[in-house]
Amino acid sequence: MTDTLNDQWQALKTLHATHKNREMLSLFDSDTQRAADFSADSHDMLLDYSKTNIDSGIRDALLALAQAADVTAKRDQMFAGAVINETEGRAVLHTALRNLDGDPVLVDGMDVLPEVRATLERMGDYADAVRVSDITDVVNIGIGGSDLGPAMAVQALSPYHDGPRVHFVSNVDGADVSDTLRGLDAKTTLVIVASKTFTTIETMTNARTARAWMLDGGGDPNAQFAALSTSDEKTAEFGIPPERVFGFEDWVGGRYSVWGPIGLSLMIGIGRRAFYAFLRGAQAMDVHFCAATGVENLPLMHALVGIWHNQICGHGTRAVLPYDQRLGKLPAYFQQLEMESNGKSVAMDGTALGRHSGPVVWGAPGTNGQHAFYQLIHQGTRVIPCEFLIAAEGHEPDLAHHHQLLVANCLAQSEALMRGRSMDDARSRMADKGLSGAELERQAAHRVFAGNRPSVTIAYPKLDPFVLGQIIALYEHRVFVEGVILGLNSYDQWGVELGKELATALQPVVEGTESVEGKDGSTQALVGFVQRHRT
Ligand code: F6P
């Protein structure tokens, strides 16, 4: 780490020590323009981070940190196709998948855009053909990035869905494939096998089961299977003809792949035009990320607020709370995006990170979460920075009053987190209820809200394909900036390998064809339990 970078981390720690007990509300008193000053917007999307303890001094220090980490130069390298995924020796170019009309992007001296656009066209032609065919149901079989992106987006964009029904199978648990295929007609179902590597054991197991199901049900796997992968060889081995294979390159990470072939099920569902609008939204965020400077830059500021809360204030988790029912799968999608990208203990050069990695990301849609886990967010002992997402309007004009209630709830939560409720206020409420003395004190204590808890709100006009593209790209770039500042590689995922290796080795042990000897006592006992209790 450079001395300047180190100095900036130290400066931020000092600022935190000085200001950590300050009331956020007081920042609004001293700056009547705070809401405008501490927000940024791009294409009608607003990022409001005014309900945090960040003031202009802290913000300057955060921006200086980004500068010391060379975020701008690294951003340009990423967009230009440099090998920034150093541990895998790959470029990181998911942005090329939505680069619908930009300048050439070179990898090994070759412009990748013609191929990207040709594949997109081929996907569009295929999607059009499926949409007018007898296919009634599409089943996407994939896991991780080959599942979460399209599954999240299909749900998010259901008002735009006018194609065949789309289903998702991801878990190797037979319950998933079995429950999904039950009730579908094998003769009118298209199965899309989505796997970047085409080796993932869960996906290949489910794909083989689906093929057997199709044959049993009188369908034709030779005509009703398509593949999305980087491996032509493996898709051919599986028996999927090249005209139904949609390929992409290794410079697209799994969790960043919804923009290309992995988005085929979404494209079939919402149609080519709406899918392009989705790409346009992401492209608009890319252009903004590259052009907007300093405080104007949404992904940069979103990342810096994240760094402030996690690495400086020490809040180790972050709640994603969409007040948008159709974004129900967004927290899970962001979990992979953020935790697989920035959940690392070593810096790019292999040395220890020296500070915490990215946070635990979790959440669920409001208002449901309010009636479940918000209790802890408001009164638990840990501070959990919250990220609220809210649309100005919904898709149900007849139910506008529902939407207004939804908005009121969203805004009330961030207000409550910041404002809290003092002991005096709680006491006077208990007095109004007729309590007094020790019982009043006891009851009042339970009704105190510490307040001063930070949140960020992302507001947008309506959850349409363009906006969904913006939201995802905003978070992708936020992860990039945080990764650069932490000095780690956001684009590998070695942490998933050990479990995979051990599972492969344990399969014959569980089946009983290999001995459990040599395993630890707990694993031996668990294998024994399973073997004794299965019929
Ligand atoms: O094991 C993790 C992972 O590699 C993810 O990064 C990826 O999204 C997922 O598995 C699925 O991989 P594939 O698309 O190659 O089947």
Side-chain angles (χ1 to χ4, degrees), residues 516-526:
V516 75
E517 232 169 86
K519 293 286 172 194
D520 60 86
S522 166
T523 306
Q524 290 199 17
L526 290 167

Side-chain angles (χ1 to χ4, degrees), residues 142-147 194-204 228-230 248 253-257 262 336 340 492-493 496-497 500:
I143 197 164
S146 299
D147 164 73
S195 175
K196 178 176 166 178
T197 53
F198 231 71
T199 57
T200 303
I201 187 93
E202 291 93 333
T203 300
M204 300 325 295
L228 321 173
S229 178
T230 53
F248 54 106
R255 52 194 174 274
Y256 297 87
S257 61
I262 295 296
Q336 186 196 18
E340 206 172 66
D492 61 12
Q493 54 283 320
V496 302
E497 293 304 321
K500 283 185 193 173

Side-chain angles (χ1 to χ4, degrees), residues 52-53 304-315 385 454-456:
T52 65
N53 192 13
L304 293 177
V305 174
I307 293 273
W308 170 252
H309 287 145
N310 182 7
Q311 281 78 18
I312 305 296
C313 302
H315 309 319
S455 68
V456 159

Side-chain angles (χ1 to χ4, degrees), residues 21-42:
N21 296 320
R22 169 175 62 189
E23 292 288 325
M24 274 180 226
L25 264 175
S26 70
L27 297 173
F28 286 88
D29 297 336
S30 53
D31 175 5
T32 53
Q33 297 302 307
R34 180 170 170 81
D37 287 350
F38 289 80
S39 57
D41 65 278
S42 163

Side-chain angles (χ1 to χ4, degrees), residues 83-162:
V83 178
I84 63 163
N85 174 357
E86 294 178 21
T87 59
E88 294 182 312
R90 293 174 184 167
V92 174
L93 275 178
H94 45 279
T95 50
L97 298 180
R98 59 226 189 190
N99 186 339
L100 299 175
D101 35 32
D103 295 336
V105 176
L106 305 183
V107 172
D108 296 331
M110 289 269 293
D111 181 11
V112 300
L113 294 186
E115 182 68 31
V116 163
R117 291 173 191 160
T119 303
L120 208 48
E121 278 298 300
R122 217 158 63 72
M123 283 168 63
D125 293 345
Y126 183 65
D128 287 349
V130 172
R131 283 160 61 83
V132 297
S133 72
D134 294 337
I135 294 293
T136 55
D137 295 88
V138 174
V139 178
N140 183 89
I141 297 182
I143 197 164
S146 299
D147 164 73
L148 288 164
M152 176 273 293
V154 162
Q155 186 185 36
L157 299 178
S158 64
Y160 302 86
H161 200 119
D162 54 3

